[in-house]
Amino acid sequence: MADKNFDFDFVIVGSGFGGSVAALRLTDKGYKVAVVEMGRRWTPENLPRTNWTIHRWFWRPELALRGFFNMKFFRHVTILHGCAVGGGSITYAATLLRPPDHVWTNGSWAGLADWQSEMPQHFDTASRMLGVIENRILGPSDLLLKKAAESIGMGDTFKPTHVALFQASPGIAGGVTVPDPFFNGEGPDRTTCKGCGGCMMGCRHGAKNTLDLNYLYLAEKRGCRVIAETKVVDVKPLGAADGSDGYEVFTIQSTTLLPQKRKRITCRGIVFSGSSLGTTELLFSLKDKRSLPNLSDAVGKQVRTNSESLIGVRIPGYKDDLSKGVAIGSRVYIDEHTHIEAVRYPEGSDAMSFLSTILTRGRPGITRIANWVLNIIKFLIQHPIRTFRLLLPNRWARECVILLCMQALDAHIDMRWKRSWWSPFRKHLSSEGMQIPTYIPQANEFAEKFARMTGGTAMSMLPEILFNVPGTAHCLGGCLIADSPQNGVIDSRHRVFGYKNMYICDGSVVGANLGVNPSLTITALAERAMSLLPIAAENTWRDAPELSLSTLAKR
Ligand SMILES: Cc1cc2nc3c(=O)[nH]c(=O)nc-3n(C[C@H](O)[C@H](O)[C@H](O)COP(=O)(O)OP(=O)(O)OC[C@H]3O[C@@H](n4cnc5c(N)ncnc54)[C@H](O)[C@@H]3O)c2cc1C
Ligand code: SF4
């Protein structure tokens, strides 16, 4: 029964993987829950057809761009992330993989729980809720990836990815709408996947299992309130400084440029689920303005980029349409540590071509830039028409196999909250630490072989060449699970050190490099964290006491 002195029992900040799990599980436990999400709500009707419709693809509300995809540029890394009701699930490629067992014995969370025996059940629940299957639609670029892996003797590592898509049985055409196939009729109608390659533009066919069609859908149906286009800008304890008397949460509308008054919501508990970048930024600002001064000094520490590199091969005039299939259809290992996935954008979504250019080797900095300029001149002299076609945005998605390369080797940076010469009056997130390598030599060699095999040209990201800055869609960490506030921001039950009834459930808590796409792990961790909270009727709010696994098993 909700406490009448508060607007809600729990406010959840952000509706991505962590936030949606928290929304459903807390609602099911009898709590009155609100999810505050700064992004918009998307449906097949209002999603853009291609990424040329920039204002409905890119998120930069101060420029009237109110889409679901964002890029943030730091000195050490460019971070790609989602912003929508359903968080990153609207723009993500829906590849959901379990990390290898050894990730639980490394990093800040090692030894804090019996992860290896606890996590499998939560991975099972997460996979069932998200509808994970082995991809049944292999497109032309998947078949090329297989051939390229075979050419280096790694063909036996080729596998279709595991994806959160609703696909028909093999051999049956997609595009068929059926009543809810996942939740005994409680979920929405769904349509089978057409293999159009458009998953990262949001699925306009209702075939991608985005969070607004599973966790959030059920949470809302069971009474949870989702407040969209609203940004949380402040959180303060009510009464006792440790938050044991509850919190007041201040919000603003995120999609207007007009001056506005902040709104206030009160709650007994709070769950931060704004993603690695979003939660780290919010907690830094709350600590800095002394709304939550007791937050750990470890906020912003150990932000990981999954040791990633985005490269690719463009094959002008290729006979097949390489944009067909699902966004990430298959994967290979080219050596023990290096995992490569075949990625695509849908036909016509060529705007990303402005970030891609001819792959160039050489020492980072001026040498690589000079090599790149020489390369372009050489290409233009030797093959003027082909080079022109390579650099034109037109047909980019049809002619490209994007290769997402990840290594399970550890490397991290830290985030700081500070002013810069270009922002003297306002603090912002700023990266620091060792430079992250922009080049994974084995992956580049593979791309070059792939290009030779297909008659294409190996490509890489322009910021990697010009600024020696890698790009990642898998930013993790910043508010780690750890043994103490000296080493992290939350304990192994996701409770924020220094405050009561305050939790974090999102990618910011991940304490090691996963080496695979992280959303399934974020979902499974949130499932575990929420399973440790008592039901509403039994919560004394003294500190959400941990339930033993045997008590939970009896429920
Ligand atoms: C193009 C692309 C493709 C990807 N493909 C894959 C893939 O195939 N597989 C995979 O595992 N991962 C993929 N990812 C990564 C995946 O999207 C993220 O790892 C995942 O979404 C992180 O989950 P989260 O719960 O940490 O936060 P998110 O899902 O990012 O959700 C956080 C939400 O919080 C909101 N928010 C933040 N701050 C505030 C605030 N102050 N007030 C209100 N709301 C706030 C944000 O708007 C956002 O919607 C991809 C990412 C991108 C960009
Ligand atoms: S391939 Fe097309 S139809 Fe299938 S899930 Fe992705 S966007 Fe939807």
Side-chain angles (χ1 to χ4, degrees), residues 212-467:
D212 54 336
L213 300 178
N214 42 59
Y215 278 106
L216 264 189
Y217 182 92
L218 297 177
E220 282 193 274
K221 204 165 173 185
R222 296 174 192 175
C224 165
R225 189 157 158 227
V226 176
I227 308 167
E229 300 185 37
T230 303
K231 181 173 181 178
V232 170
V233 290
D234 207 353
V235 176
K236 291 178 181 165
L238 283 165
D242 65 357
S244 49
D245 293 332
Y247 296 94
E248 51 182 351
V249 176
F250 294 91
T251 67
I252 54 166
Q253 195 188 330
S254 57
T255 44
T256 179
L257 296 174
L258 300 174
Q260 49 180 314
K261 250 183 90 179
R262 301 193 314 173
K263 289 200 172 129
R264 176 177 178 268
I265 309 172
T266 57
C267 55
R268 294 224 68 164
I270 185 155
V271 183
F272 290 104
S273 297
S275 80
S276 171
L277 215 51
T279 297
T280 302
E281 183 170 27
L282 182 58
L283 294 198
F284 260 132
S285 90
L286 297 179
K287 188 171 167 66
D288 189 57
K289 61 180 154 194
R290 304 204 59 76
S291 295
L292 297 177
N294 299 332
L295 287 170
S296 155
D297 289 335
V299 172
K301 296 272 185 281
Q302 299 202 24
V303 174
R304 291 180 162 84
T305 65
N306 236 1
S307 298
E308 232 164 75
S309 165
L310 273 171
I311 47 179
V313 175
R314 183 161 181 181
I315 319 170
Y318 190 66
K319 61 182 173 54
D320 295 320
D321 180 351
L322 295 171
S323 70
K324 294 294 176 250
V326 303
I328 302 184
S330 58
R331 62 199 187 107
V332 294
Y333 276 94
I334 56 167
D335 61 37
E336 194 192 341
H337 299 294
T338 317
H339 180 231
I340 291 191
E341 295 172 345
V343 185
R344 73 223 70 184
Y345 270 92
E347 188 177 4
S349 282
D350 300 325
M352 283 295 238
S353 65
F354 290 117
L355 288 181
S356 87
T357 188
I358 294 169
L359 190 142
T360 304
R361 289 168 183 264
R363 276 161 57 89
I366 198 70
T367 317
R368 195 183 291 166
I369 297 173
N371 282 352
W372 171 68
V373 174
L374 287 176
N375 236 351
I376 302 245
I377 295 171
K378 196 174 92 192
F379 265 73
L380 273 170
I381 294 170
Q382 289 174 346
H383 319 282
I385 296 176
R386 184 184 166 80
T387 310
F388 194 59
R389 284 176 73 179
L390 265 182
L391 301 176
L392 264 187
N394 193 22
R395 293 173 64 88
W396 178 84
R398 275 185 76 99
E399 297 178 344
C400 260
V401 182
I402 305 165
L403 299 171
L404 170 59
C405 172
M406 286 175 256
Q407 288 195 314
L409 304 174
D410 209 12
H412 66 257
I413 51 171
D414 293 330
M415 287 288 176
R416 290 270 308 275
W417 187 244
K418 60 177 213 182
R419 292 188 177 84
S420 303
W421 59 265
W422 47 267
S423 172
F425 305 114
R426 213 167 144 221
K427 289 189 180 174
H428 57 89
L429 278 183
S430 164
S431 65
E432 63 174 36
M434 298 267 289
Q435 201 66 39
I436 306 166
T438 37
Y439 258 36
I440 301 181
Q442 307 90 310
N444 291 349
E445 236 169 73
F446 180 71
E448 282 165 349
K449 279 198 182 132
F450 196 133
R452 280 197 295 278
M453 188 191 83
T454 53
T457 302
M459 309 290 285
S460 72
M461 294 263 287
L462 197 55
E464 295 188 1
I465 291 180
L466 292 185
F467 311 114

Side-chain angles (χ1 to χ4, degrees), residues 14 16-18 37-38 83-84 87-88 93-95 232 274-275 473-474 506-507 517-519:
F17 289 86
E37 168 56 57
M38 68 180 175
C83 169
T95 302
V232 170
S275 80
H474 298 148
D506 60 21
N517 320 53
S519 302

Side-chain angles (χ1 to χ4, degrees), residues 496-544:
V496 174
F497 292 123
Y499 290 92
K500 304 270 192 233
N501 306 313
M502 180 183 282
Y503 303 83
I504 304 179
C505 287
D506 60 21
S508 70
V509 309
V510 173
N513 198 347
L514 301 175
V516 293
N517 320 53
S519 302
L520 189 64
T521 307
I522 296 168
T523 310
L525 281 168
E527 284 279 9
R528 175 183 173 276
M530 292 298 106
S531 76
L532 297 172
L533 260 81
I535 58 171
E538 288 174 13
N539 198 343
T540 60
W541 297 98
R542 279 200 289 274
D543 200 16

